[in-house]
Amino acid sequence: MQTVKSGGLKMNLGTAAAIGYGILTLVGGIMGYIKAKSQASLISGLISGSLLIFAGTAQLMGQSWGLTLAAAISAVLVIVFILRLVKTRKFMPAGMLILASLASLGAIVYEISGQYQ
């Protein structure tokens, strides 16, 4: 488990993944609205992105439940994007977001498993 200390805060891979993925989902929701006028993309992107950033920030501030929340959100998003990929049969954007969700979830689970050793 690698950590980077900055002003007393400890940033690790899982925290960075949660915050980074949160930013990606926020931007993705906004882009979905701009390109396809999809209010569902906008709302789900804003909610899930905000929750991921909140969870990562909570972990950064020492709240041990932060990564657990981020893992749960990422896991739900994997399922949502799999269902969307099956429905549309188009790799973009659902397939790419499955990969991003799995990468984020993997980093978060890696950090969670390291916390209990």
Side-chain angles (χ1 to χ4, degrees):
M1 175 168 69
Q2 283 192 330
T3 60
V4 176
K5 285 190 175 184
S6 173
L9 302 177
K10 291 169 60 173
M11 176 75 73
N12 60 37
L13 179 63
T15 304
I19 293 171
Y21 186 47
I23 292 168
L24 178 68
T25 57
L26 277 172
V27 171
I30 293 167
M31 293 302 297
Y33 180 74
I34 290 171
K35 290 184 86 175
K37 300 294 184 215
S38 171
Q39 289 184 344
S41 291
L42 179 63
I43 292 167
S44 62
L46 292 175
I47 291 171
S48 59
S50 297
L51 286 172
L52 283 162
I53 293 169
F54 170 73
T57 303
Q59 181 70 29
L60 190 59
M61 299 298 196
Q63 301 298 318
S64 60
W65 50 264
L67 285 182
T68 304
L69 176 60
I73 295 165
S74 296
V76 167
L77 289 174
V78 168
I79 294 167
V80 167
F81 293 129
I82 287 172
L83 293 174
R84 189 171 295 164
L85 179 63
V86 168
K87 182 179 177 183
T88 65
R89 296 180 189 245
K90 294 181 183 176
F91 183 75
M92 287 298 290
M96 186 61 71
L97 290 170
I98 291 168
L99 297 176
S101 299
L102 288 171
S104 175
L105 183 59
I108 292 166
V109 169
Y110 173 78
E111 286 299 329
I112 290 172
S113 67
Q115 288 180 358
Y116 298 107
Q117 291 181 355

